[in-house]
Amino acid sequence: MRQHPIIAGNWKMNMTVGESITLVDALIANPNTQHATWIICPPYTHLAPIQDRIKHSVFSLGAQSISHHSNGAFTGDVSGSMLKSVGCRYVIIGHSERREYHNETPKILTQQLTQAFTHGLTPIFCVGETKKDRDNNLTTAVIEAQLIDSLVPVKPHLETLPFLIAYEPIWAIGTGVVASPEDAQQVHAYIRKKLNKLLPPEIANRTPILYGGSVSPENSRNLLDQQDIDGALVGGASLNADTFLAIGK
Ligand code: PGA
């Protein structure tokens, strides 16, 4: 819980550029944005026109992924320096949809983290368990492995540069089934404990840990009231200005 939660919108593969500009114009026209730190993560094709719209606003730009290579013959990929050059400040890394549909392994995610840090982008590193993991009491074991596998190799960067963690239980993403505030808090506290094992306490304790998975204006307050929930990574509800902004009120 922090006085100003961090609310990040992950638009995924939704909206044309024109539709997204309509959304962003509604966001920046709303005066009730002073109670949160706002990040929006449009598709690659939308980054430059959206940044043009939000550059003098309270909204910061993030990308949904990043190449694990720095440049070269990687057709269809987008590099850290490209993201930086259009004004991105953040990048989502390790989203479960990327892990699953694009076979992004822990090693690739470590390389993506390195690319982000090298180019001055702040990673939002996602972890989360499946329903089966949870049913088999494997939640903390899965989260621990995801954290250790990808973060330990970039420890020197973590000690000097900002980063965020997002806990996104896979069974809660896009399902309307949100984790209870108590269950989410339990995992966030566990992540905090692991960060404290890996990093000096002043870094571990100030690293924001966002919750993601079916966050809506109806459930966000109880989640954000939890001690170790510092913000939200929002999918579906970020596609509408009113519901997105209501989450950070
Ligand atoms: P959701 O998506 O809010 O639509 O569940 C969250 C996410 O995948 O980041």
Side-chain angles (χ1 to χ4, degrees):
M1 179 169 64
R2 40 177 77 202
Q3 209 191 351
H4 280 96
I6 300 167
I7 311 294
N10 174 10
W11 292 357
K12 308 193 181 184
M13 197 174 74
N14 290 296
M15 297 186 287
T16 61
V17 171
E19 288 162 350
S20 70
I21 285 177
T22 305
L23 169 58
V24 132
D25 284 348
L27 293 177
I28 58 183
N30 195 301
N32 296 320
T33 48
Q34 66 273 40
H35 301 301
T37 298
W38 300 95
I39 303 167
I40 47 179
C41 303
Y44 288 141
T45 42
H46 302 31
L47 291 172
I50 294 293
Q51 173 61 6
D52 201 45
R53 278 316 221 248
I54 64 174
K55 61 185 174 216
H56 302 303
S57 78
V58 296
F59 295 88
S60 297
L61 192 68
Q64 296 175 16
S65 187
I66 180 172
S67 173
H68 58 293
H69 300 289
S70 54
N71 67 291
F74 302 103
T75 302
D77 286 351
V78 174
S79 72
S81 61
M82 294 172 187
L83 296 177
K84 191 71 186 172
S85 74
V86 292
C88 280
R89 285 182 55 192
Y90 297 89
V91 57
I92 299 171
I93 293 179
H95 192 283
S96 57
E97 287 152 17
R98 301 288 313 176
R99 291 180 192 256
E100 186 177 350
Y101 307 139
H102 295 269
N103 298 323
E104 291 185 353
T105 60
K107 185 164 172 240
I108 288 175
L109 299 179
T110 296
Q111 291 170 326
Q112 292 183 350
L113 286 163
T114 303
Q115 288 300 319
F117 285 125
T118 305
H119 294 286
L121 297 160
T122 299
I124 303 172
F125 182 70
C126 303
V127 295
E129 82 286 4
T130 62
K131 172 89 170 60
K132 195 165 160 219
D133 296 331
R134 178 158 282 264
D135 291 346
N136 290 323
N137 282 327
L138 291 173
T139 300
T140 49
V142 167
I143 304 284
E144 178 179 32
Q146 289 171 338
L147 291 171
I148 300 295
D149 289 352
S150 296
L151 296 186
V152 168
V154 294
K155 192 166 176 269
H157 290 305
L158 304 178
E159 285 170 346
T160 51
L161 295 168
F163 67 99
L164 290 75
I165 303 285
Y167 167 55
E168 296 208 307
I170 295 169
W171 47 270
I173 296 178
T175 58
V177 183
V178 66
S180 71
E182 297 72 26
D183 283 350
Q185 163 59 25
Q186 215 172 44
V187 178
H188 280 236
Y190 178 78
I191 294 171
R192 184 83 65 205
K193 195 171 91 185
K194 284 287 140 195
L195 290 178
N196 268 288
K197 288 231 164 86
L198 184 65
L199 297 163
E202 65 275 15
I203 296 175
N205 294 334
R206 73 160 182 251
T207 296
I209 307 175
L210 313 184
Y211 168 81
S214 295
V215 176
S216 70
E218 289 72 41
N219 58 37
S220 57
R221 182 48 47 211
N222 287 339
L223 288 162
L224 295 173
D225 276 348
Q226 301 298 312
Q227 187 179 350
D228 291 293
I229 302 186
D230 302 303
L233 181 53
V234 186
S238 72
L239 299 175
N240 174 287
D242 293 335
T243 50
F244 186 50
L245 293 172
I247 288 166
K249 258 197 190 146

